[in-house]
Amino acid sequence: SGNIICSLRRNLSSSSRLRSSMPAWVIDEYGNNGVLRFTEDATAPSVNSASEVLIQVHAASLNPLDISMRRGYGSNLLKLRRDPVSLGQNGGEFPIILGRDVSGVVLDCGSGVTHFKPGDEVWAAIPPWKQGSLAEMVNLTEYEVSHKPRSLSHREAASIPYVAATALSALVNAGGLCRDNCTNKRVLITGASGGVGTFSIQLLKAWGAHVTVTCSHNAEGLVRGLGADEVVDYTAGDVATELGLMEKFDVILDNVGGDSEQWALGLLKSWSGAKYVTLVTPFLLNIDSMGLLEGAVHSGLNLHQKAITNMCNGVFYRWGFYAPDGPALDEVSQLVDAGKILPVVEDTFLFSQVPLAFQKVERGHARGKTVVTVA
Ligand code: NDP
């Protein structure tokens, strides 16, 4: 790792704009942590279209998705999205750079970019089909990028974008919540101690909702500190029974999956527009195992059947997904600078320690986010 650090210092200190290669962590095949490879010769991105923004990465963070993608999760669909003409080709997607969060500085902009200029401090959640942030530079489209909160360091800022984009998409698009309609809304968040949960608690409290969460006993202090009104320790007994004693909920955000939907749907208010939104969906798994067409059809039928069944019981059943959205991050940036949303960084690793950061996230039991400092 000494060599890696030396080469990083050398490379990161030279001008990033003009080089055709850059330091990065890549994978050349899917598998366990051993497939992560450091190289100084990854292809450096450059601005190729009017709407692109080239960013020098200062910090990145890891999400459970990085572990799954390292193993090949979603590869059928992501391969197609990266390069639609490569359909059927095996291995054409490599080398892949993982890392979905970036906080950094704009190096270059396409001629049509109006909101950013070189030197701006920005943050973004990188779509899974694009090259990631475990690299010196990343290239994004203007609408995916947002001005970073001034009050945060790059290290802190990198902990937020992907979980924020996911939580906003799930709570707003699927859950029907927004800053103007949360007063008197009761929301339940399962798996609240991780990345999405710790962000969602703070967002919903900033919007005025009443927030109940489930987590392990040793996360209670963390989630209460972030504003959770009621905390249920899922390790202490039957969580469904305990939650069943409470007033019913308007929205449930499920970060856990498994058998949650068997007991959680009954906790929603009936016939009042209440919604259950799960982030743990079989969509990409189905496409991985059945292929694109069959997997998509199977998923669609599965979702439709659950939606219809639950609609008959007076509640909505929905799947939530990450969606790239720079303007939504602008709103988060304002909440952060107003002190209403804090970064929750559990661990920070150097760029030379990326495999250790993966090991940490792979062990589970996250309490917020794991960040990697790059520059
Ligand atoms: P994290 O790994 O950061 O957090 C998960 C948290 O859940 C941990 O704190 C864990 O702690 C806790 N937990 C585990 N089991 C339970 C349980 N039975 N009840 C309550 N808490 C539990 O994940 P993220 O927050 O980043 O993401 C949450 C889920 O959403 C993941 O499955 C992720 O893959 C998915 N996701 C889906 C997206 C989409 O587009 N559909 C986008 C982003 C995330 P402990 O085990 O110690 O209790």
Side-chain angles (χ1 to χ4, degrees):
S1 77
N3 286 343
I4 292 174
I5 292 171
C6 288
S7 87
L8 285 178
R9 289 212 180 103
R10 198 171 57 244
N11 280 305
L12 294 175
S13 60
S14 62
S15 166
S16 304
R17 276 175 82 150
L18 303 174
R19 287 190 289 102
S20 58
S21 62
M22 65 174 179
W25 285 90
V26 300
I27 60 168
D28 306 299
E29 60 182 317
Y30 300 117
N32 62 24
N33 231 19
V35 300
L36 289 165
R37 174 174 70 87
F38 175 77
T39 174
E40 296 178 34
D41 297 320
T43 305
S46 58
V47 167
N48 289 316
S49 80
S51 60
E52 284 180 347
V53 179
L54 182 67
I55 300 165
Q56 176 170 27
V57 180
H58 281 237
S61 84
L62 293 186
N63 292 278
L65 179 65
D66 291 300
I67 311 299
S68 309
M69 281 178 64
R70 192 201 66 206
R71 296 187 190 128
Y73 170 78
S75 58
N76 274 349
L77 189 63
L78 296 176
K79 205 166 16 183
L80 187 65
R81 184 74 204 253
R82 283 184 195 111
D83 183 7
V85 290
S86 76
L87 187 58
Q89 263 181 26
N90 270 334
E93 68 268 43
F94 298 114
I96 292 174
I97 302 173
L98 299 169
R100 295 301 111 208
D101 293 283
V102 55
S103 180
V105 174
V106 174
L107 289 172
D108 200 4
C109 296
S111 57
V113 171
T114 53
H115 286 86
F116 305 99
K117 59 181 186 321
D120 283 358
E121 294 199 321
V122 293
W123 63 346
I126 304 168
W129 51 88
K130 292 197 168 179
Q131 289 292 44
S133 52
L134 294 174
E136 185 187 4
M137 290 179 269
V138 66
N139 205 18
L140 293 172
T141 306
E142 182 177 22
Y143 78 86
E144 294 159 348
V145 182
S146 160
H147 289 282
K148 151 188 171 294
R150 289 168 198 277
S151 54
L152 297 189
S153 64
H154 287 295
R155 183 185 75 88
E156 292 169 323
S159 68
I160 294 178
Y162 194 79
V163 293
T166 301
L168 279 162
S169 165
L171 293 169
V172 177
N173 302 338
L177 298 174
C178 68
R179 71 175 160 209
D180 300 323
N181 72 0
C182 276
T183 315
N184 300 325
K185 286 271 180 4
R186 288 178 52 77
V187 183
L188 169 65
I189 304 171
T190 66
S193 45
V196 176
T198 51
F199 176 84
S200 302
I201 295 169
Q202 299 185 81
L203 179 74
L204 290 165
K205 289 312 296 176
W207 285 353
H210 182 279
V211 178
T212 302
V213 306
T214 69
C215 62
S216 301
H217 62 283
N218 63 4
E220 176 165 355
L222 170 68
V223 296
R224 280 207 192 274
L226 297 172
D229 297 291
E230 308 276 352
V231 181
V232 175
D233 171 7
Y234 78 93
T235 65
D238 184 0
V239 68
T241 307
E242 193 164 337
L243 288 166
L245 298 173
M246 296 179 176
E247 193 186 325
K248 296 213 167 191
F249 298 96
D250 296 285
V251 173
I252 297 176
L253 176 63
D254 178 14
N255 292 303
V256 173
D259 69 353
S260 303
E261 61 190 57
Q262 265 133 51
W263 51 263
L265 278 145
L267 302 172
L268 288 170
K269 295 175 183 169
S270 293
W271 305 110
S272 66
K275 296 169 190 78
Y276 171 87
V277 183
T278 181
L279 285 173
V280 187
T281 83
F283 181 66
L284 286 176
L285 284 177
N286 286 343
I287 289 179
D288 286 340
S289 62
M290 298 176 199
L292 192 62
L293 193 60
E294 200 183 333
V297 170
H298 185 85
S299 299
L301 290 174
N302 181 236
L303 176 61
H304 185 70
Q305 185 250 322
K306 286 184 178 180
I308 296 287
T309 309
N310 285 295
M311 217 184 280
C312 296
N313 296 326
V315 299
F316 292 99
Y317 173 94
R318 292 184 175 163
W319 288 351
F321 293 101
Y322 150 85
D325 192 344
L329 282 183
D330 290 342
E331 185 178 341
V332 175
S333 202
Q334 286 169 16
L335 288 169
V336 171
D337 281 336
K340 297 195 169 161
I341 292 182
L342 301 172
V344 186
V345 178
E346 181 183 15
D347 245 321
T348 305
F349 292 84
L350 299 173
F351 196 41
S352 56
Q353 298 174 314
V354 161
L356 292 178
F358 271 77
Q359 274 172 17
K360 197 268 165 239
V361 176
E362 199 158 11
R363 282 195 293 272
H365 308 299
R367 299 288 177 263
K369 292 300 307 280
T370 294
V371 170
V372 175
T373 52
V374 177

Short mmCIF file of all heavy atoms in Angstrom, two decimals, residues 78-114:
data_model
loop_
_atom_site.label_atom_id
_atom_site.label_comp_id
_atom_site.label_asym_id
_atom_site.label_seq_id
_atom_site.Cartn_x
_atom_site.Cartn_y
_atom_site.Cartn_z
N LEU A 78 -27.45 -3.64 -16.17
CA LEU A 78 -26.48 -2.53 -16.17
C LEU A 78 -25.60 -2.57 -17.42
O LEU A 78 -25.27 -1.54 -18.00
CB LEU A 78 -25.62 -2.56 -14.90
CG LEU A 78 -26.41 -2.34 -13.60
CD1 LEU A 78 -25.49 -2.49 -12.39
CD2 LEU A 78 -27.06 -0.97 -13.59
N LYS A 79 -25.25 -3.79 -17.85
CA LYS A 79 -24.44 -3.97 -19.05
C LYS A 79 -25.17 -3.35 -20.27
O LYS A 79 -24.60 -2.64 -21.07
CB LYS A 79 -24.27 -5.48 -19.28
CG LYS A 79 -23.05 -5.84 -20.07
CD LYS A 79 -22.68 -7.31 -20.01
CE LYS A 79 -23.67 -8.31 -19.54
NZ LYS A 79 -23.17 -9.67 -19.48
N LEU A 80 -26.44 -3.63 -20.31
CA LEU A 80 -27.25 -3.14 -21.43
C LEU A 80 -27.37 -1.62 -21.39
O LEU A 80 -27.31 -0.94 -22.41
CB LEU A 80 -28.63 -3.78 -21.34
CG LEU A 80 -29.56 -3.53 -22.51
CD1 LEU A 80 -28.99 -4.17 -23.76
CD2 LEU A 80 -30.92 -4.12 -22.20
N ARG A 81 -27.54 -1.10 -20.18
CA ARG A 81 -27.69 0.35 -20.03
C ARG A 81 -26.38 1.06 -20.38
O ARG A 81 -26.38 2.14 -20.96
CB ARG A 81 -28.10 0.63 -18.58
CG ARG A 81 -28.39 2.05 -18.24
CD ARG A 81 -29.72 2.50 -18.83
NE ARG A 81 -29.73 3.95 -19.00
CZ ARG A 81 -30.43 4.79 -18.26
NH1 ARG A 81 -31.22 4.34 -17.32
NH2 ARG A 81 -30.36 6.08 -18.47
N ARG A 82 -25.24 0.42 -20.03
CA ARG A 82 -23.93 1.05 -20.34
C ARG A 82 -23.71 1.10 -21.84
O ARG A 82 -23.20 2.06 -22.36
CB ARG A 82 -22.80 0.22 -19.71
CG ARG A 82 -22.64 0.41 -18.24
CD ARG A 82 -21.43 -0.37 -17.72
NE ARG A 82 -21.53 -0.44 -16.27
CZ ARG A 82 -21.77 -1.54 -15.58
NH1 ARG A 82 -21.90 -2.70 -16.19
NH2 ARG A 82 -21.88 -1.49 -14.27
N ASP A 83 -24.07 0.00 -22.50
CA ASP A 83 -23.76 -0.09 -23.92
C ASP A 83 -24.81 -0.97 -24.59
O ASP A 83 -24.65 -2.19 -24.69
CB ASP A 83 -22.35 -0.70 -24.07
CG ASP A 83 -21.95 -0.76 -25.52
OD1 ASP A 83 -22.69 -0.22 -26.36
OD2 ASP A 83 -20.89 -1.33 -25.81
N PRO A 84 -25.89 -0.36 -25.08
CA PRO A 84 -27.01 -1.14 -25.63
C PRO A 84 -26.60 -2.05 -26.79
O PRO A 84 -27.22 -3.08 -27.00
CB PRO A 84 -27.99 -0.07 -26.12
CG PRO A 84 -27.62 1.16 -25.36
CD PRO A 84 -26.16 1.07 -25.08
N VAL A 85 -25.55 -1.71 -27.54
CA VAL A 85 -25.19 -2.56 -28.67
C VAL A 85 -24.37 -3.78 -28.25
O VAL A 85 -24.09 -4.65 -29.06
CB VAL A 85 -24.42 -1.78 -29.76
CG1 VAL A 85 -25.34 -0.81 -30.48
CG2 VAL A 85 -23.21 -1.08 -29.19
N SER A 86 -23.99 -3.84 -26.97
CA SER A 86 -23.16 -4.97 -26.51
C SER A 86 -24.01 -6.14 -26.05
O SER A 86 -23.51 -7.08 -25.45
CB SER A 86 -22.26 -4.55 -25.37
OG SER A 86 -23.02 -4.45 -24.19
N LEU A 87 -25.32 -6.09 -26.30
CA LEU A 87 -26.24 -7.13 -25.82
C LEU A 87 -25.71 -8.52 -26.20
O LEU A 87 -25.41 -8.80 -27.34
CB LEU A 87 -27.61 -6.90 -26.48
CG LEU A 87 -28.76 -7.78 -26.00
CD1 LEU A 87 -28.98 -7.63 -24.52
CD2 LEU A 87 -30.02 -7.45 -26.76
N GLY A 88 -25.57 -9.37 -25.19
CA GLY A 88 -25.14 -10.74 -25.47
C GLY A 88 -23.64 -10.93 -25.33
O GLY A 88 -23.17 -12.04 -25.19
N GLN A 89 -22.88 -9.84 -25.33
CA GLN A 89 -21.43 -9.98 -25.18
C GLN A 89 -21.08 -10.20 -23.72
O GLN A 89 -21.59 -9.49 -22.86
CB GLN A 89 -20.73 -8.69 -25.61
CG GLN A 89 -20.22 -8.72 -27.02
CD GLN A 89 -19.52 -7.41 -27.33
OE1 GLN A 89 -19.03 -6.74 -26.45
NE2 GLN A 89 -19.52 -7.07 -28.60
N ASN A 90 -20.17 -11.13 -23.44
CA ASN A 90 -19.79 -11.35 -22.06
C ASN A 90 -18.50 -10.63 -21.75
O ASN A 90 -17.55 -10.72 -22.50
CB ASN A 90 -19.62 -12.84 -21.78
CG ASN A 90 -20.92 -13.44 -21.32
OD1 ASN A 90 -21.76 -12.74 -20.76
ND2 ASN A 90 -21.10 -14.72 -21.58
N GLY A 91 -18.45 -9.92 -20.60
CA GLY A 91 -17.20 -9.32 -20.16
C GLY A 91 -16.88 -7.98 -20.77
O GLY A 91 -15.91 -7.33 -20.38
N GLY A 92 -17.70 -7.49 -21.70
CA GLY A 92 -17.41 -6.23 -22.36
C GLY A 92 -17.52 -5.03 -21.43
O GLY A 92 -17.05 -3.95 -21.77
N GLU A 93 -18.13 -5.23 -20.27
CA GLU A 93 -18.34 -4.10 -19.36
C GLU A 93 -17.10 -3.75 -18.54
O GLU A 93 -17.04 -2.70 -17.92
CB GLU A 93 -19.52 -4.37 -18.42
CG GLU A 93 -19.33 -5.48 -17.40
CD GLU A 93 -19.79 -6.85 -17.87
OE1 GLU A 93 -19.52 -7.19 -19.04
OE2 GLU A 93 -20.40 -7.58 -17.08
N PHE A 94 -16.10 -4.65 -18.51
CA PHE A 94 -14.93 -4.43 -17.64
C PHE A 94 -13.89 -3.55 -18.34
O PHE A 94 -13.83 -3.52 -19.58
CB PHE A 94 -14.31 -5.78 -17.27
CG PHE A 94 -15.24 -6.65 -16.49
CD1 PHE A 94 -15.73 -7.84 -17.02
CD2 PHE A 94 -15.67 -6.26 -15.23
CE1 PHE A 94 -16.60 -8.64 -16.31
CE2 PHE A 94 -16.55 -7.06 -14.50
CZ PHE A 94 -17.01 -8.26 -15.05
N PRO A 95 -13.04 -2.86 -17.59
CA PRO A 95 -13.02 -2.76 -16.14
C PRO A 95 -14.12 -1.81 -15.62
O PRO A 95 -14.40 -0.80 -16.26
CB PRO A 95 -11.64 -2.17 -15.84
CG PRO A 95 -11.29 -1.40 -17.08
CD PRO A 95 -11.94 -2.11 -18.22
N ILE A 96 -14.72 -2.21 -14.49
CA ILE A 96 -15.75 -1.38 -13.87
C ILE A 96 -15.15 -0.67 -12.66
O ILE A 96 -14.40 -1.26 -11.89
CB ILE A 96 -16.93 -2.27 -13.40
CG1 ILE A 96 -17.67 -2.84 -14.62
CG2 ILE A 96 -17.89 -1.49 -12.50
CD1 ILE A 96 -18.76 -3.85 -14.26
N ILE A 97 -15.50 0.60 -12.51
CA ILE A 97 -15.11 1.37 -11.31
C ILE A 97 -16.35 1.49 -10.43
O ILE A 97 -17.38 2.02 -10.86
CB ILE A 97 -14.57 2.76 -11.68
CG1 ILE A 97 -13.36 2.62 -12.62
CG2 ILE A 97 -14.20 3.55 -10.42
CD1 ILE A 97 -12.85 3.95 -13.19
N LEU A 98 -16.28 1.00 -9.20
CA LEU A 98 -17.41 1.07 -8.26
C LEU A 98 -17.37 2.40 -7.51
O LEU A 98 -16.44 3.19 -7.68
CB LEU A 98 -17.36 -0.13 -7.32
CG LEU A 98 -17.47 -1.50 -8.03
CD1 LEU A 98 -17.16 -2.64 -7.08
CD2 LEU A 98 -18.86 -1.69 -8.65
N GLY A 99 -18.36 2.60 -6.62
CA GLY A 99 -18.44 3.86 -5.85
C GLY A 99 -19.55 4.74 -6.39
O GLY A 99 -19.45 5.24 -7.50
N ARG A 100 -20.63 4.92 -5.62
CA ARG A 100 -21.81 5.65 -6.11
C ARG A 100 -21.89 7.08 -5.63
O ARG A 100 -22.79 7.81 -6.05
CB ARG A 100 -23.10 4.91 -5.69
CG ARG A 100 -23.30 3.55 -6.28
CD ARG A 100 -23.34 3.56 -7.79
NE ARG A 100 -22.17 2.92 -8.34
CZ ARG A 100 -21.63 3.21 -9.54
NH1 ARG A 100 -22.16 4.14 -10.30
NH2 ARG A 100 -20.57 2.59 -9.97
N ASP A 101 -21.04 7.48 -4.69
CA ASP A 101 -21.12 8.85 -4.15
C ASP A 101 -19.86 9.61 -4.50
O ASP A 101 -18.76 9.06 -4.41
CB ASP A 101 -21.22 8.82 -2.62
CG ASP A 101 -22.52 8.24 -2.14
OD1 ASP A 101 -23.54 8.93 -2.21
OD2 ASP A 101 -22.50 7.07 -1.69
N VAL A 102 -20.01 10.88 -4.83
CA VAL A 102 -18.83 11.71 -5.03
C VAL A 102 -19.05 13.08 -4.39
O VAL A 102 -20.13 13.65 -4.46
CB VAL A 102 -18.49 11.88 -6.53
CG1 VAL A 102 -19.65 12.41 -7.34
CG2 VAL A 102 -17.29 12.80 -6.71
N SER A 103 -17.98 13.56 -3.74
CA SER A 103 -17.90 14.97 -3.39
C SER A 103 -16.57 15.43 -3.97
O SER A 103 -15.53 14.78 -3.75
CB SER A 103 -17.95 15.18 -1.88
OG SER A 103 -17.87 16.56 -1.60
N GLY A 104 -16.59 16.51 -4.74
CA GLY A 104 -15.35 16.93 -5.39
C GLY A 104 -15.46 18.30 -6.02
O GLY A 104 -16.33 19.10 -5.65
N VAL A 105 -14.57 18.54 -6.98
CA VAL A 105 -14.45 19.87 -7.59
C VAL A 105 -14.57 19.73 -9.10
O VAL A 105 -13.95 18.83 -9.70
CB VAL A 105 -13.10 20.51 -7.20
CG1 VAL A 105 -12.89 21.82 -7.93
CG2 VAL A 105 -13.03 20.73 -5.69
N VAL A 106 -15.33 20.63 -9.72
CA VAL A 106 -15.50 20.58 -11.18
C VAL A 106 -14.19 20.95 -11.87
O VAL A 106 -13.57 21.97 -11.55
CB VAL A 106 -16.63 21.55 -11.61
CG1 VAL A 106 -16.71 21.62 -13.14
CG2 VAL A 106 -17.95 21.14 -11.02
N LEU A 107 -13.78 20.06 -12.82
CA LEU A 107 -12.57 20.33 -13.59
C LEU A 107 -12.89 20.90 -14.96
O LEU A 107 -12.15 21.72 -15.50
CB LEU A 107 -11.81 19.00 -13.81
CG LEU A 107 -11.12 18.37 -12.62
CD1 LEU A 107 -10.61 16.99 -13.00
CD2 LEU A 107 -9.98 19.26 -12.14
N ASP A 108 -14.00 20.46 -15.54
CA ASP A 108 -14.30 20.85 -16.92
C ASP A 108 -15.80 20.69 -17.15
O ASP A 108 -16.43 19.83 -16.52
CB ASP A 108 -13.51 19.93 -17.87
CG ASP A 108 -13.35 20.52 -19.25
OD1 ASP A 108 -13.78 21.69 -19.45
OD2 ASP A 108 -12.82 19.84 -20.12
N CYS A 109 -16.34 21.48 -18.06
CA CYS A 109 -17.78 21.41 -18.35
C CYS A 109 -18.01 21.43 -19.85
O CYS A 109 -17.27 22.10 -20.58
CB CYS A 109 -18.52 22.62 -17.78
SG CYS A 109 -18.47 22.75 -16.00
N GLY A 110 -19.07 20.74 -20.30
CA GLY A 110 -19.48 20.81 -21.70
C GLY A 110 -20.02 22.20 -22.01
O GLY A 110 -20.38 22.97 -21.10
N SER A 111 -20.14 22.49 -23.31
CA SER A 111 -20.52 23.85 -23.73
C SER A 111 -21.95 24.22 -23.31
O SER A 111 -22.28 25.39 -23.17
CB SER A 111 -20.40 23.97 -25.25
OG SER A 111 -21.21 22.96 -25.83
N GLY A 112 -22.80 23.19 -23.05
CA GLY A 112 -24.18 23.51 -22.68
C GLY A 112 -24.42 23.55 -21.19
O GLY A 112 -25.56 23.74 -20.74
N VAL A 113 -23.39 23.36 -20.40
CA VAL A 113 -23.58 23.34 -18.93
C VAL A 113 -23.75 24.77 -18.43
O VAL A 113 -22.92 25.63 -18.69
CB VAL A 113 -22.37 22.65 -18.25
CG1 VAL A 113 -22.44 22.82 -16.74
CG2 VAL A 113 -22.34 21.18 -18.63
N THR A 114 -24.86 25.00 -17.71
CA THR A 114 -25.15 26.37 -17.27
C THR A 114 -25.01 26.55 -15.76
O THR A 114 -24.84 27.66 -15.28
CB THR A 114 -26.58 26.77 -17.67
OG1 THR A 114 -27.46 25.76 -17.18
CG2 THR A 114 -26.71 26.90 -19.18
#
